Amino acid sequence: MSAFQHQKGSLHCEDVPLEAIAKTHGTPTYVYSREAIESAFLAYQTALADRPHLICYAVKANSNLAVLNVLAGLGAGFDVVSAGELERVIAAGGAADKVVFSGVGKTRQEMQSALEHGIRCFNVESESELLALAEVAEQSGHIAPISVRVNPDVDAGTHPYISTGLRENKFGVDAGTARRLYQVAREQPALNAVGIDCHIGSQILDIAPFLESLDCLLSLIDGLAADGINLQHLDIGGGLGVSYEASAPAISDYMAVLSERLGSRGLELILEPGRSIVALAGALITTVQYLKPSEAKNFAIVDAAMNDLLRPSLYNAWQDIQAVTPREGKSLDWDIVGPICETGDFLGKDRTLALSEGDLLAVMGSGAYGFAMASNYNTRPRAAEVLVSGDSAQLIGKRESLNDLWQREIIPENLAR
Ligand SMILES: *Cc1c(COP(=O)(O)O)cnc(C)c1O
């Protein structure tokens, strides 16, 4: 059941009316359900209860400290892609030894910091990175635990911007190169090969490409074992999609299929889910400012924009938009657009709604890659964030003030002539 339901004619998150949150905190505001986050995480956890596993939540999907804290409380590990994300995890009470570090461009400084924190594993994406890590580890007297990110060359059938497992993508290395990199790593005393990983993309609505990748990793693992290299974990990445529109596979079904294919292998299974944990746990609430009907198009101009929620503009993503308090009256087809000076600034197109100025709308499925991708474009402060649990709603991210926006900027004294 969704955490967002209409009760007595008004949309609630758990037991809190979104109207009440808008009244207290204003709009635009992101609202997250704690229960929904926890139950998605536990769906992974429970399904894998009888095999060694670690669910490393992908921090980039939603990196609010309170969200990370909720997940850390359930024993989550974390997948980070920057030193900043690692520091966030630690600030939120997460354990560094459950962190895997992904990304094609880790800097030496980031490697150093992650080594000092004692992370679980570096997911290495190239030979140059492998050698840089060996050097940094050796110079600082650490042994770096590593995994090589394999690009299994499978078509995940998702949007090209979020497809990462094809040969032409920048991520990982092909299977042959991976096998060679483990030999290179073996020659480096400061590297310890502990695992193997992949991540083929995001919003994947079919389990088959994950199985294809798993088979690719398993055959590599067997090849490496024949070379005398025995790995302890297999990290299948994130990427399971959610039902924004079409229906997505259930987490439990995906886990059942993975588990079956792994059979009696004693490998620890690591997963890096982001979207499937938080996307449906969040909504962005926004107020209709102006209605602008015309012959060609009807526009509803709202106070949220592409700087708050980029997915529709960036990927042409479809997210459901609901009236918080549906009204009687004639429905029209509306394009729901923000105030930003870009034609690409829309949250949804052709939505059939009965609207009046001042109405509240909720953009559903906004918990992942929502606030995390927000910017200050057009000098717009970033939205507030609220976490709901039962009948309580707590502010977990303050709305930025205008002053915040130019604090870091400097007018040099000699600039004026
Ligand atoms: C983005 C990313 C994830 C999370 O992907 P989702 O689709 O949000 O589950 C996991 N691993 C890596 C390496 C990523 O880049």
Side-chain angles (χ1 to χ4, degrees):
M1 196 181 91
S2 164
F4 293 87
Q5 297 282 341
H6 283 277
Q7 296 178 26
K8 300 193 199 98
S10 149
L11 191 59
H12 286 54
C13 176
E14 300 192 25
D15 297 325
V16 179
L18 295 183
E19 295 267 7
I21 294 174
K23 206 162 176 190
T24 309
H25 299 287
T27 57
T29 291
Y30 278 94
V31 181
Y32 311 122
S33 156
R34 175 177 185 152
E35 149 72 21
I37 296 171
E38 292 191 331
S39 63
F41 180 82
L42 292 173
Y44 280 101
Q45 195 83 293
T46 315
L48 296 176
D50 56 5
R51 68 166 62 243
H53 69 275
L54 181 63
I55 314 299
C56 293
Y57 166 68
V59 172
K60 73 175 192 279
N62 182 329
S63 56
N64 184 288
L65 292 185
V67 170
L68 301 182
N69 180 260
V70 163
L71 290 166
L74 298 176
F78 296 92
D79 170 47
V80 303
V81 292
S82 70
E85 285 190 350
L86 174 56
E87 293 300 330
R88 264 185 187 279
V89 165
I90 289 158
D97 64 1
K98 290 185 183 171
V99 168
V100 298
F101 191 169
S102 302
V104 290
K106 303 173 195 80
T107 66
R108 284 161 193 258
Q109 264 171 330
E110 288 180 313
M111 291 171 175
Q112 179 70 34
S113 141
L115 284 168
E116 280 161 15
H117 280 299
I119 66 165
R120 167 72 64 101
C121 191
F122 289 85
N123 292 349
V124 172
E125 304 218 13
S126 65
E127 181 162 12
S128 297
E129 183 195 336
L130 188 76
L131 296 175
L133 179 59
E135 208 173 277
V136 174
E138 186 156 1
Q139 280 164 9
S140 60
H142 291 96
I143 305 276
I146 63 130
S147 156
V148 174
R149 176 166 174 178
V150 179
N151 183 330
D153 194 24
V154 301
D155 185 356
T158 188
H159 189 284
Y161 291 5
I162 51 176
S163 180
T164 55
L166 282 170
R167 212 158 32 167
E168 64 258 35
N169 298 137
K170 71 180 174 185
F171 301 99
V173 296
D174 62 75
T177 307
R179 193 149 169 190
R180 187 173 60 75
L181 290 190
Y182 282 99
Q183 307 293 348
V184 173
R186 178 150 64 176
E187 303 303 312
Q188 298 288 336
L191 299 180
N192 179 25
V194 295
I196 190 162
D197 67 286
C198 71
H199 171 70
I200 56 172
S202 199
Q203 186 54 10
I204 298 167
L205 296 174
D206 177 8
I207 292 175
F210 291 115
L211 279 186
E212 225 182 294
S213 315
L214 179 62
D215 287 342
C216 168
L217 294 195
L218 287 176
S219 85
L220 254 167
I221 284 176
D222 294 341
L224 288 166
D227 298 343
I229 296 170
N230 293 295
L231 302 178
Q232 290 120 56
H233 79 242
L234 181 158
D235 177 348
I236 194 76
L240 184 63
V242 302
S243 308
Y244 293 110
E245 190 171 16
S247 71
I251 292 171
S252 54
D253 291 344
Y254 172 35
M255 291 303 98
V257 171
L258 274 191
S259 218
E260 191 194 323
R261 187 69 61 103
L262 280 168
S264 60
R265 290 182 188 249
L267 286 164
E268 180 182 33
L269 177 64
I270 296 185
L271 288 127
E272 303 168 352
R275 188 189 309 273
S276 52
I277 303 237
V278 286
L280 302 182
L284 172 63
I285 53 177
T286 180
T287 305
V288 177
Q289 301 285 99
Y290 301 112
L291 294 179
K292 192 173 170 184
S294 78
E295 300 247 308
K297 254 308 174 203
N298 299 316
F299 292 103
I301 299 153
V302 298
D303 65 358
M306 64 188 285
N307 76 295
D308 298 300
L309 180 66
L310 186 59
R311 298 186 64 256
S313 305
L314 183 63
Y315 313 124
N316 207 16
W318 188 96
Q319 294 182 219
D320 188 26
I321 300 180
Q322 296 190 17
V324 167
T325 310
R327 56 172 63 250
E328 304 283 303
K330 189 169 173 312
S331 288
L332 292 176
D333 286 348
W334 298 96
D335 278 11
I336 314 294
V337 303
I340 285 184
C341 310
E342 301 259 357
T343 302
D345 178 26
F346 65 92
L347 299 177
K349 291 186 170 170
D350 293 321
R351 304 307 171 88
T352 310
L353 292 159
L355 293 181
S356 274
E357 293 177 0
D359 284 2
L360 275 179
L361 296 177
V363 186
M364 311 310 293
S366 297
Y369 307 105
F371 187 91
M373 293 177 105
S375 77
N376 296 121
Y377 187 39
N378 278 212
T379 303
R380 289 171 49 86
R382 286 180 301 169
E385 296 176 284
V386 168
L387 183 67
V388 169
S389 185
D391 60 5
S392 112
Q394 285 175 296
L395 186 67
I396 60 167
K398 292 183 200 158
R399 185 179 309 287
E400 273 176 325
S401 73
L402 287 179
N403 225 357
D404 293 336
L405 301 189
W406 50 81
Q407 275 305 311
R408 46 169 293 284
E409 297 170 31
I410 300 154
I411 303 177
E413 267 178 44
N414 59 0
L415 200 63
R417 292 200 219 179

